[in-house]
Amino acid sequence: QVHLVESGGELVQAGDSLRLSCVASGRALNPYTLAMGWFRQASGKEREFVAASRWNGRTSYADSVKGRFTISRDNAKNTVYLRMNSLKPEDTAVYYCAADPRWPFPKPRTDIDYWGQGTQVTVSS
């Protein structure tokens, strides 16, 4: 199994920037094969794909965050980051770290192999 722990979520104002972190561990962890990414779930809505990064740095983004969010990873630290710029109130959600060996990274929530517990991001207007 792979264990994922997110951190960095907090209350910010619209237009601010924030960086989330996710540390991965476990016997099944292989930084050279496991893709990692982020989903988010707003209150009353379904969990949706945000961004993903392959071991070699290849990335993908949801249309709603392209140009504002940047995903990166440090394989030596088994850590993936999500830098969020120009935050909007609509970005308010619980952000979940995710991991899956497939690429392109699966977008349906039910296809993801591993999940973190989530970290709350709240953007005030």
Side-chain angles (χ1 to χ4, degrees):
Q1 276 289 334
V2 174
H3 182 61
L4 306 173
V5 180
E6 308 97 328
S7 63
E10 62 181 79
L11 173 64
V12 298
Q13 294 180 320
D16 284 354
S17 296
L18 192 63
R19 189 181 74 165
L20 306 181
S21 300
C22 174
V23 180
S25 62
R27 291 186 175 184
L29 178 64
N30 187 337
Y32 295 100
T33 61
L34 195 67
M36 299 180 67
W38 295 90
F39 282 68
R40 66 186 181 186
Q41 186 168 16
S43 179
K45 300 183 67 176
E46 296 294 323
R47 194 171 301 184
E48 64 177 358
F49 171 78
V50 175
S53 177
R54 207 178 183 186
W55 66 269
N56 61 358
R58 189 172 185 177
T59 60
S60 65
Y61 296 92
D63 289 340
S64 61
V65 305
K66 287 181 179 178
R68 297 191 299 123
F69 291 10
T70 302
I71 188 170
S72 61
R73 62 190 294 170
D74 186 336
N75 290 329
K77 297 181 178 180
N78 296 324
T79 301
V80 64
Y81 305 96
L82 184 67
R83 168 61 68 177
M84 303 180 291
N85 295 326
S86 302
L87 283 164
K88 306 173 181 179
E90 62 199 65
D91 295 317
T92 295
V94 176
Y95 283 71
Y96 295 90
C97 184
D100 195 279
R102 292 167 288 182
W103 193 268
F105 201 75
K107 292 185 178 180
R109 183 178 71 87
T110 56
D111 289 350
I112 299 297
D113 286 348
Y114 308 105
W115 290 103
Q117 295 299 308
T119 183
Q120 177 70 50
V121 173
T122 302
V123 184
S124 63
S125 60

